[in-house]
Amino acid sequence: MRELRFALGYMPHRLWGNILQAQFLEKDSNAEFYSSREYVQNDPGTAAFQRLSPMQREVVQEVDAYNDRKLHRLFSKKPTVKQFQDSVEAKTIQEHIRPYIEKHMHRALEIARDNRIPLFVKDKSNRNIFPEDFIRLERKPGIPLFSFAYGEQLSYALQLIHGEHPLVLKDRPVELVCNNPLVILLGDVLYFINDIDGKKLKPFLTKEEVRIPPDMEKKYLGSFVRNTLRDFQTRVEGIVVSESEARTQALLTLERGLSDLPVWILEFQYNQHKITADNPIPRFVEYEGGEGSPRFVRCPRKPAWEEGKKAFLHACGLRTRDDRIFQMKSTGGKAGNEALYEAVSFMNEYGTALEEEGFQIRQRFQEVFHLGPISLDLQSSEKEDWFDLYGTVHIGEVRIPFLSLKHHILSGERTYTLPDGTIAVLPLEWFSRYRSVFEFGKISDGEIRIHKQHFSQVAGVGDIQSETLEKLDRLNRVETLPALEPPRGLNATLRTYQREGYQWLCVLQEMGFGGCLADDMGLGKTLQAIAVLLRARENGSGEDDRPSEKPTSLVVVPASLLHNWESECRRFAPSLKVCLHVGGQRNREISNFSYYDVILSTYHIVRQDIEQISAFPFHYVILDESQMIKNPASKLYQAISDLQAGHRLVLTGTPIENSLTDLWSQINFVNPGLLGSLNFFRQKFVMAIEKKKDEEREAKLKELINPFILRRTKQEVATELPPVYEQVRYCTMTEDQKRLYEEEKSQARNSILENLEEVGMEHASMMVLQALTRLRQIANHPALVENGEDLDSGKYGEVLRNVESVLAEGHKVLIFSSFVKHLDLFREHFDREGLRYAYLTGSRNQKQRTDAVNAFQTDPACSLFLISLKAGGTGLNLTAAEYVFILDPWWNPAAEMQALNRAHRIGQDQSVFVYRFISSNTIEEKIQVLQEKKRALAQSFVTASNPLRDLDEKEILELFN
């Protein structure tokens, strides 16, 4: 039986001297010696390498680092290994190659020592390895001990202490295996020697001591002896060495690091000696001369003091890997000047504390930065509808009016140059905290004047105590508003949330603000508004039914809601005198308005009669479905804005349908100037939020509008409403339908690509919309396009199957589609089957609309209601329905929510089931994804957006893949 053993061989190389080689040794069970079986290469594909343990593999990797091929690649430009070895100079070997080899040998020997890997020494000519060839690797290191004697002549000796005994070196077989760090082979034992290199040891392999010539003593004492006393254990005779405590100073220098990020360099100064924290020097020694008896003063380092300084830096938020270079815990991905400014701001905050801790702060830049504290002393006062702010910025000893920083805050300029040329970096938080103050404030007599509607921007700018602010802030928390009794004549019991909404509207009126009531559809916005109008009448009632101090209010609604408002006023507030200002025979004399409490009119009529109506001073102007004025460039918006009103209120479930600009139009109507000018709003909010996804700007916008928008969802407040169950029904297209869809999609994609190249995205958008519309129509039913009239639809059949099931169970269903022609296909089927249904599109007049709703709500035989999404968005109460079928999705999820809210509203006492029918593998699935992707804006700002306007060229083309 043969024994196989992994070992390291210490053997000669013809050029490099003795080196280590990894081998497998082999021994017969009866033999007394091993023979070399094979050298082990750093090649995972070999059987020998695969037999190695992890630590043996590490050894092989270290040995492989200096194989001939790698040395050739590292140290020569010769084309071949042979040419390199034939031409290499002894000086290159001694100064470069051998130190490189010894570095890897030292690591390999450490692994061998710690893992009991055998090491043997042999001549290369001898193939056999006997037991006496193996050497022992001593685990405990040797310590150098220098002895200096000064008498007639300066001399010194060096001993290596192992354990408690010196190693005898003189005239012994000693080999320096590695010079730095030092490893020696003494007899059959290998020793690792700490803190010294082979150059210092070599003289004592043949001598007991080294004598220094008298003319060299002074130089030797001031350099070699001083450094040795500093770095090593020493014994002295005839030399005075005294101990002393050094004066200490921690130095912290801010500068740019190699990666251009700011770093702090930590240094410690002991008397005149300055070292970095990672320097291994244990002490400092000064040579003081002295005839006949040289004198040295030795000052030890203070590890506890140094650790305390490093710990303080850690406590301040700095981190280090080497105890020398410190960085901020996190730069948040910032680089260049932004990272530098963060570092300077860090010093502004912690510089004083660091100096008090004993750090000397320095900086190394082309510019000189102010590293001391920066603070703002801000005060305010109230004057009628305004807050006046005035403040002083303290930068060291310099005092600057806060107003001087307006340009910096608005432009984002972080640096401010002080009179002496020093650069101050303004705190980053100032730009978010105070930007709105300058954006919405007006400069007057050295002060910033902020209108009270911007109170949210004042509340966080300083230590400002104000009863007015506290009162205004309650607008953000309707549950904390003072309780108010509903008007006596209100013929309704307000639910809890409706009472809170009523109180909120009353507080807005008291404060002189307008508001946006944006409750979900079906939660009674109309009732809450009527309660406010009735309160105004009752609070002014006396002997005269129409007191002059309580002028008439105007309610502007879409034409489809006019009669709904009239009936709601008659039902809930019969004491209100209501006038319908509509029709061709309407009385245009505004002097008649004063007789009435409420004037009801439509957007169209108000725009037509604005010249007369704008002259009348209304108590309230209330806009229902106020998204009608979403376009600020429209004549309608301009007309509505010209109305005179003591108080303004808008009602809408969807204040944003396409863009945040919709929100600006309505908020600017109720509280002019709250969001700044339209151009300002587009630049600072629309672009930042919709395009750049700026979360800080989004938060700021919410802060501005929250006190003036009140929205409650059905899930939040109407707990008595039954649940809604929503489900997507995926429909498979017929083969002919699928073929037509793919042909249309391919043709559309090719046409769009050509147009994008020729005219660009902006001018091709109409063509894109037309192509998307045709694909949606085919996904619904090929009959909606001219070349698909004779084809069937998978979705059509699936919808009919679901209709049959619902009717068989005795339920009623609303069927919504964006396409009237799609609804007509179902009408034809229902007519053939003799099924009763109601039908409503945008072309129906008010009477047809009312008749359709009444038939569905009251006639048990009328179980189907076909409605176009556009016509069914507002003014319908269809609580008789338990099922809602949405036949085709569109970009704006708000349209679908409006459809759902026709059935799921106050008065509904049954569960509502919503089915969305989607044709698989079509544009409809991608629309669903885009709805979810763009819904974040809807959640944040009470509504939904139109994502098509935000799609780039790549996203547009993906729709046609």
Side-chain angles (χ1 to χ4, degrees):
M1 184 172 178
R2 305 185 70 81
E3 176 190 348
L4 199 63
R5 189 178 192 187
F6 176 78
L8 283 175
Y10 184 61
M11 56 189 63
H13 185 282
R14 70 182 183 87
L15 290 173
W16 320 134
N18 287 338
I19 61 173
L20 298 175
Q21 293 286 352
Q23 304 179 40
F24 269 114
L25 306 180
E26 190 176 50
K27 182 171 83 75
D28 196 307
S29 58
N30 297 321
E32 294 183 358
F33 58 84
Y34 289 88
S35 60
S36 179
R37 173 172 172 173
E38 63 179 315
Y39 288 91
V40 183
Q41 306 298 320
N42 185 28
D43 183 357
T46 63
F49 187 88
Q50 293 172 6
R51 285 198 294 268
L52 300 176
S53 70
M55 300 312 298
Q56 289 171 343
R57 291 182 180 184
E58 281 198 35
V59 167
V60 170
Q61 290 166 0
E62 295 295 336
V63 170
D64 183 70
Y66 51 81
N67 68 46
D68 287 348
R69 293 187 309 279
K70 289 185 178 177
L71 292 176
H72 166 238
R73 187 167 63 249
L74 289 170
F75 296 102
S76 175
K77 295 183 180 179
K78 298 290 183 181
T80 66
V81 173
K82 185 177 185 306
Q83 288 177 316
F84 159 55
Q85 293 185 342
D86 287 346
S87 61
V88 65
E89 298 179 354
K91 183 178 180 181
T92 300
I93 295 173
Q94 179 182 355
E95 295 181 358
H96 301 289
I97 298 177
R98 184 65 195 181
Y100 171 81
I101 292 174
E102 289 182 2
K103 180 183 72 172
H104 290 282
M105 283 175 54
H106 188 273
R107 176 60 186 144
L109 289 170
E110 285 184 318
I111 298 172
R113 175 196 65 193
D114 297 338
N115 294 273
R116 302 185 185 281
I117 295 174
L119 174 67
F120 64 89
V121 179
K122 85 175 188 72
D123 189 292
K124 201 168 186 180
S125 63
N126 188 353
R127 180 172 177 76
N128 297 328
I129 299 98
F130 292 89
E132 58 267 26
D133 293 329
F134 287 93
I135 61 176
R136 176 165 56 89
L137 282 72
E138 183 58 56
R139 300 178 68 86
K140 189 172 184 178
I143 307 297
L145 174 63
F146 285 87
S147 299
F148 291 96
Y150 188 83
E152 295 181 359
Q153 188 175 7
L154 175 64
S155 64
Y156 75 96
L158 172 61
Q159 291 179 301
L160 300 181
I161 308 299
H162 186 258
E164 298 180 357
H165 307 286
L167 299 177
V168 180
L169 303 177
K170 182 175 179 296
D171 301 328
R172 292 284 304 279
V174 178
E175 181 173 351
L176 304 186
V177 177
C178 299
N179 278 275
N180 192 12
L182 179 60
V183 179
I184 64 171
L185 181 59
L186 181 58
D188 60 354
V189 181
L190 191 82
Y191 294 94
F192 293 82
I193 310 299
N194 282 352
D195 304 327
I196 194 171
D197 58 43
K199 189 183 296 184
K200 292 184 176 64
L201 181 65
K202 280 183 179 179
F204 301 98
L205 300 180
T206 57
K207 300 178 181 179
E208 292 284 353
E209 63 178 10
V210 174
R211 292 181 175 275
I212 307 302
D215 59 339
M216 296 290 291
E217 283 182 358
K218 187 174 182 180
K219 181 179 179 181
Y220 240 78
L221 287 166
S223 56
F224 179 76
V225 177
R226 181 178 65 86
N227 293 339
T228 304
L229 288 170
R230 180 192 66 192
D231 299 335
F232 299 100
Q233 292 188 27
T234 56
R235 293 174 182 167
V236 294
E237 182 180 338
I239 296 175
V240 177
V241 179
S242 60
E243 302 290 334
S244 177
E245 184 173 335
R247 299 182 308 277
T248 57
Q249 176 72 65
L251 309 174
L252 192 64
T253 305
L254 177 61
E255 60 183 57
R256 290 187 187 271
L258 294 177
S259 59
D260 203 36
L261 290 174
V263 297
W264 285 262
I265 305 299
L266 175 62
E267 297 172 292
F268 296 121
Q269 186 162 336
Y270 288 84
N271 294 336
Q272 74 272 26
H273 303 285
K274 187 165 58 178
I275 59 169
T276 56
D278 60 342
N279 193 309
I281 292 174
R283 61 193 66 83
F284 302 93
V285 178
E286 295 298 328
Y287 172 51
E288 295 188 343
E291 292 295 331
S293 182
R295 296 187 304 275
F296 293 87
V297 177
R298 187 157 55 181
C299 303
R301 291 224 353 222
K302 300 178 180 180
W305 173 76
E306 293 183 12
E307 289 299 323
K309 299 307 177 189
K310 290 184 282 187
F312 191 84
L313 295 180
H314 278 273
C316 291
L318 298 181
R319 296 292 179 263
T320 182
R321 292 181 179 178
D322 58 9
D323 288 339
R324 184 174 68 90
I325 300 175
F326 285 76
Q327 293 178 294
M328 298 181 71
K329 181 186 292 187
S330 173
T331 60
K334 296 176 181 176
N337 283 339
E338 285 191 8
L340 173 60
Y341 296 159
E342 286 302 295
V344 173
S345 294
F346 173 89
M347 295 306 298
N348 296 147
E349 182 176 357
Y350 289 99
T352 299
L354 288 166
E355 289 178 343
E356 290 175 352
E357 179 63 17
F359 286 90
Q360 180 181 326
I361 307 300
R362 304 183 300 179
Q363 55 180 298
R364 192 174 290 127
F365 301 107
Q366 290 182 344
E367 310 96 336
V368 177
F369 290 96
H370 171 76
L371 302 183
I374 297 178
S375 62
L376 170 61
D377 179 17
L378 195 62
Q379 299 177 353
S380 75
S381 61
E382 296 179 37
K383 295 178 182 177
E384 298 178 348
D385 289 342
W386 299 87
F387 294 101
D388 290 343
L389 302 179
Y390 44 95
T392 302
V393 177
H394 301 259
I395 305 178
E397 299 299 321
V398 179
R399 302 292 180 264
I400 301 169
F402 186 41
L403 288 176
S404 301
L405 300 182
K406 177 180 179 179
H407 170 75
H408 289 73
I409 298 296
L410 292 180
S411 65
E413 174 57 52
R414 293 285 305 274
T415 58
Y416 183 92
T417 303
L418 299 174
D420 64 355
T422 302
I423 296 175
V425 175
L426 303 180
L428 185 61
E429 65 170 339
W430 287 9
F431 293 85
S432 57
R433 178 178 293 184
Y434 303 124
R435 178 162 63 174
S436 293
V437 170
F438 287 116
E439 286 176 339
F440 298 107
K442 298 179 179 179
I443 307 301
S444 175
D445 297 329
E447 297 177 343
I448 308 169
R449 306 196 74 197
I450 302 287
H451 192 275
K452 68 178 182 180
Q453 70 178 352
H454 292 119
F455 73 91
S456 61
Q457 309 310 298
V458 176
V461 300
D463 186 18
I464 299 173
Q465 302 297 324
S466 165
E467 290 184 9
T468 304
L469 277 180
E470 293 177 6
K471 191 172 183 179
L472 289 169
D473 187 54
R474 295 170 71 179
L475 289 171
N476 287 308
R477 304 182 304 279
V478 293
E479 67 278 3
T480 67
L481 292 173
L484 292 174
E485 289 299 318
R488 295 184 303 278
L490 187 68
N491 190 21
T493 300
L494 297 180
R495 301 172 190 271
T496 301
Y497 72 89
Q498 290 173 334
R499 182 185 287 261
E500 290 176 348
Y502 164 74
Q503 291 166 176
W504 178 75
L505 291 172
C506 292
V507 172
L508 282 178
Q509 177 184 328
E510 177 189 343
M511 295 287 185
F513 297 138
C516 172
L517 186 57
D519 287 343
D520 263 358
M521 290 293 176
L523 294 186
K525 294 190 291 292
T526 303
L527 175 58
Q528 295 171 67
I530 289 173
V532 171
L533 293 174
L534 184 58
R535 176 177 181 262
R537 184 188 190 285
E538 291 183 355
N539 284 355
S541 63
E543 295 181 1
D544 186 353
D545 285 342
R546 181 70 267 162
S548 59
E549 69 271 14
K550 294 295 181 185
T552 303
S553 294
L554 172 68
V555 179
V556 187
V557 302
S560 61
L561 296 185
L562 188 68
H563 294 286
N564 181 69
W565 260 89
E566 182 186 22
S567 63
E568 296 277 271
C569 286
R570 189 163 52 246
R571 174 185 174 190
F572 296 125
S575 64
L576 287 177
K577 293 184 177 67
V578 179
C579 170
L580 268 64
H581 183 72
V582 292
Q585 304 304 315
R586 65 187 179 275
N587 189 336
R588 304 190 187 210
E589 293 296 327
I590 62 173
S591 59
N592 295 324
F593 285 178
S594 59
Y595 174 77
Y596 297 97
D597 299 304
V598 178
I599 305 297
L600 283 176
S601 191
T602 67
Y603 286 98
H604 174 70
I605 295 298
V606 169
R607 191 187 71 178
Q608 279 191 332
D609 296 353
I610 189 61
E611 188 172 341
Q612 295 86 12
I613 296 178
S614 64
F616 190 89
F618 292 105
H619 177 54
Y620 255 105
V621 170
I622 299 178
L623 309 182
D624 195 8
E625 300 297 341
S626 58
Q627 67 272 17
M628 298 284 291
I629 65 165
K630 64 186 179 184
N631 181 3
S634 67
K635 291 182 179 179
L636 174 60
Y637 178 80
Q638 298 302 322
I640 294 294
S641 298
D642 287 341
L643 293 171
Q644 292 188 58
H647 307 284
R648 299 184 179 203
L649 173 62
V650 297
L651 312 177
T652 177
T654 53
I656 306 172
E657 288 189 325
N658 298 314
S659 166
L660 286 176
T661 305
D662 303 351
L663 177 68
W664 180 90
S665 303
Q666 294 160 83
I667 295 298
N668 196 62
F669 168 74
V670 295
N671 289 319
L674 176 65
L675 299 179
S677 69
L678 178 58
N679 185 54
F680 166 83
F681 183 74
R682 282 173 170 162
Q683 288 184 355
K684 301 300 182 180
F685 290 105
V686 178
M687 291 294 294
I689 295 170
E690 293 187 358
K691 300 295 185 183
K692 301 177 183 177
K693 313 304 179 188
D694 188 329
E695 295 181 358
E696 182 181 311
R697 286 272 89 181
E698 181 173 328
K700 182 60 67 177
L701 178 56
K702 289 180 183 178
E703 190 178 81
L704 281 164
I705 67 174
N706 278 352
F708 310 109
I709 290 186
L710 181 61
R711 176 173 177 79
R712 280 78 58 86
T713 65
K714 289 196 289 278
Q715 291 79 5
E716 289 176 298
V717 299
T719 55
E720 64 271 30
L721 275 177
V724 175
Y725 301 95
E726 300 187 49
Q727 188 178 58
V728 176
R729 292 289 178 91
Y730 290 97
C731 310
T732 302
M733 291 190 292
T734 65
E735 290 301 320
D736 290 338
Q737 182 184 16
K738 189 183 299 182
R739 183 174 61 254
L740 177 62
Y741 182 89
E742 292 299 325
E743 290 173 356
E744 186 71 29
K745 184 177 73 172
S746 177
Q747 181 179 344
R749 181 178 174 83
N750 292 337
S751 299
I752 289 169
L753 279 170
E754 292 176 5
N755 273 267
L756 287 175
E757 291 178 0
E758 292 179 7
V759 300
M761 182 64 212
E762 183 176 349
H763 294 90
S765 58
M766 183 59 68
M767 179 183 182
V768 172
L769 283 171
Q770 291 173 346
L772 289 173
T773 299
R774 283 186 62 84
L775 289 179
R776 291 178 62 218
Q777 290 173 322
I778 296 170
N780 277 320
H781 199 302
L784 300 186
V785 298
E786 63 277 0
N787 55 340
E789 295 177 351
D790 298 327
L791 304 180
D792 290 330
S793 162
K795 180 188 288 190
Y796 179 75
E798 180 66 19
V799 172
L800 287 180
R801 281 191 292 274
N802 281 270
V803 167
E804 291 173 4
S805 297
V806 169
L807 295 183
E809 296 171 1
H811 302 301
K812 292 196 173 193
V813 58
L814 308 178
I815 302 175
F816 287 91
S817 176
S818 302
F819 303 103
V820 173
K821 191 173 181 180
H822 195 196
L823 296 175
D824 289 342
L825 292 176
F826 288 95
R827 286 184 74 191
E828 294 170 5
H829 175 82
F830 297 155
D831 287 338
R832 289 194 300 269
E833 297 296 318
L835 297 173
R836 290 280 303 279
Y837 62 87
Y839 178 74
L840 180 61
T841 66
S843 63
R844 296 279 163 133
N845 60 34
Q846 185 61 40
K847 183 178 185 305
Q848 291 172 317
R849 181 184 182 93
T850 302
D851 291 345
V853 171
N854 290 338
F856 182 77
Q857 286 288 95
T858 60
D859 186 351
C862 184
S863 298
L864 299 164
F865 201 153
L866 295 164
I867 315 174
S868 69
L869 271 176
K870 186 174 182 180
T874 59
L876 295 180
N877 188 334
L878 302 173
T879 53
E882 300 163 74
Y883 284 82
V884 178
F885 288 1
I886 298 174
L887 303 191
D888 39 71
W890 190 222
W891 305 110
N892 192 345
E896 293 184 10
M897 290 306 299
Q898 296 270 27
L900 164 60
N901 287 329
R902 299 309 97 216
H904 194 246
R905 60 197 295 122
I906 296 298
Q908 177 63 271
D909 57 5
Q910 305 174 89
S911 297
V912 177
F913 299 86
V914 181
Y915 291 164
R916 290 177 171 84
F917 293 86
I918 302 294
S919 292
S920 301
N921 302 314
T922 69
I923 187 67
E924 293 186 332
E925 281 193 311
K926 295 179 180 180
I927 289 174
Q928 285 283 99
V929 172
L930 281 171
Q931 278 188 351
E932 293 303 318
K933 181 179 178 183
K934 300 296 183 178
R935 201 178 295 270
L937 192 63
Q939 300 297 334
S940 292
F941 298 106
V942 198
T943 182
S945 62
N946 177 358
L948 184 59
R949 64 185 290 130
D950 297 328
L951 298 184
D952 58 26
E953 184 175 316
K954 179 181 178 182
E955 290 173 309
I956 288 289
L957 293 175
E958 285 178 355
L959 293 175
F960 295 90
N961 283 337

